[in-house]
Amino acid sequence: MPVADSSPSDAGPAGAVRPSRLDPAIAARLRRTPDGLVAAVVRQHDTGEVLMVAWMDDEALHRTLTTGRATYWSRSRQEYWVKGATSGHHQYVRSMALDCDGDALLVSVDQVGAACHTGHRTCFFTELPVTGEGGTP
């Protein structure tokens, strides 16, 4: 099912022009940032590979839950975006979970192509050196 990206009437967190269609029971459980967003950690459903982190407001979450296509709020562009709408690298949502504090979502997807806008499979391709001994049991 094709899902359009945002249109000028799709004001998101900054504009909040229209109320969200998100189920009020789900909305009541969310703990949002001051700009109305919840972090979405995205992983490949069958391997658990962490692919990316994005942001959702209530409407993006509603669209994701009702279409099965990962829809996010772009903080830089100030608009909704459906993953893959322009790149062809779609995310088909298999399941979603809300964390215990209500401030993060775990989105399990079937990723088609690269998840990262750089063309990498995952956004987490830059290893950092860990020199402390904290990880040794």
Side-chain angles (χ1 to χ4, degrees), residues 14-90:
V17 168
R18 64 181 160 81
S20 171
R21 298 170 288 170
L22 182 63
D23 179 332
I26 296 171
R29 298 192 61 196
L30 298 177
R31 289 186 46 200
R32 301 160 193 81
T33 64
D35 51 354
L37 301 173
V38 175
V41 178
V42 184
R43 71 174 178 179
Q44 176 63 34
H45 79 95
D46 52 354
T47 65
E49 176 186 28
V50 178
L51 300 171
M52 58 182 272
V53 174
W55 295 94
M56 290 185 176
D57 67 351
D58 289 19
E59 182 60 19
L61 178 54
H62 167 76
R63 292 180 188 192
T64 299
L65 291 170
T66 59
T67 66
R69 296 283 306 280
T71 304
Y72 305 106
W73 175 255
S74 171
R75 296 180 302 166
S76 60
R77 295 187 315 265
Q78 295 289 296
E79 65 184 14
Y80 293 105
W81 56 283
V82 176
K83 183 66 175 166
T86 57
S87 68
H89 299 166
H90 301 283

Side-chain angles (χ1 to χ4, degrees), residues 79-128:
E79 65 184 14
Y80 293 105
W81 56 283
V82 176
K83 183 66 175 166
T86 57
S87 68
H89 299 166
H90 301 283
Q91 290 178 345
Y92 298 100
V93 179
R94 299 292 290 267
S95 67
M96 290 188 74
L98 183 62
D99 82 332
C100 59
D101 293 323
D103 60 3
L105 297 159
L106 181 60
V107 186
S108 296
V109 303
D110 224 349
Q111 176 69 49
V112 175
C116 185
H117 71 279
T118 65
H120 288 84
R121 167 79 181 159
T122 172
C123 292
F124 296 96
F125 57 86
T126 304
E127 292 286 330
L128 300 177

